[in-house]
Amino acid sequence: MRLLSMALIVCLTSCSGSVSSISKQLGGSDSLVINFNTPQANTIAKTMSSTEGKAIKKLINFVDGKTGEAYKCGYDGNLMFYKNGVIVGDVSFNYSGDGCHHFMQLVNDELTPTTMSNEAANFLKSLAEGKEWY
């Protein structure tokens, strides 16, 4: 019985996933602003905001991907995460460039690129096109 207890403790300890630096930084966000840039320009074409917890969590999960390459493709916009009115994360993104889909943010004072899934790219594209569903 003691061996079974030890095995269970080891499994629970090793199986409990660690929280990433990105999740720590963005977790607890209670509002989000999404800016979409004008193509080929450095101006904001459209801004959306949300306080819906499900939507914020979905975007945090998208951003918290595998570490990726720091592409030099330009950006389609940025996600600004807030907690109690204070910005906790500013994440730039590129969903439109072929081979350039990624997120870029400062984590622990270090510029950190993460990969963007096709689902995330399609989601952001649908929002940019004015659809409020996906």
Side-chain angles (χ1 to χ4, degrees):
M1 186 68 159
R2 185 175 186 133
L3 183 59
L4 180 61
S5 296
M6 291 280 280
L8 184 59
I9 290 170
V10 169
C11 181
L12 289 175
T13 304
S14 64
C15 294
S16 63
S18 61
V19 178
S20 74
S21 296
I22 294 170
S23 289
K24 284 180 188 175
Q25 180 175 325
L26 302 179
S29 294
D30 54 23
S31 61
L32 167 72
V33 173
I34 306 172
N35 294 312
F36 293 97
N37 297 339
T38 303
Q40 310 299 324
N42 195 20
T43 59
I44 296 173
K46 179 179 182 176
T47 298
M48 303 176 76
S49 63
S50 179
T51 57
E52 185 180 325
K54 210 182 229 187
I56 294 168
K57 186 170 182 149
K58 181 177 191 123
L59 283 160
I60 290 171
N61 288 334
F62 284 153
V63 170
D64 194 14
K66 293 184 217 173
T67 301
E69 290 186 49
Y71 298 105
K72 295 181 180 176
C73 304
Y75 292 95
D76 297 314
N78 67 316
L79 307 166
M80 297 171 63
F81 293 89
Y82 292 87
K83 184 175 182 180
N84 299 322
V86 177
I87 190 163
V88 294
D90 184 354
V91 182
S92 297
F93 59 83
N94 183 311
Y95 67 82
S96 66
D98 289 337
C100 290
H101 296 176
H102 72 289
F103 296 101
M104 182 71 75
Q105 66 268 345
L106 273 178
V107 179
N108 299 326
D109 294 325
E110 188 175 317
L111 208 50
T112 306
T114 55
T115 59
M116 179 184 290
S117 67
N118 288 333
E119 180 183 8
N122 291 338
F123 181 74
L124 289 168
K125 180 180 180 194
S126 70
L127 290 176
E129 292 172 349
K131 299 174 188 167
E132 294 188 14
W133 70 94
Y134 174 71

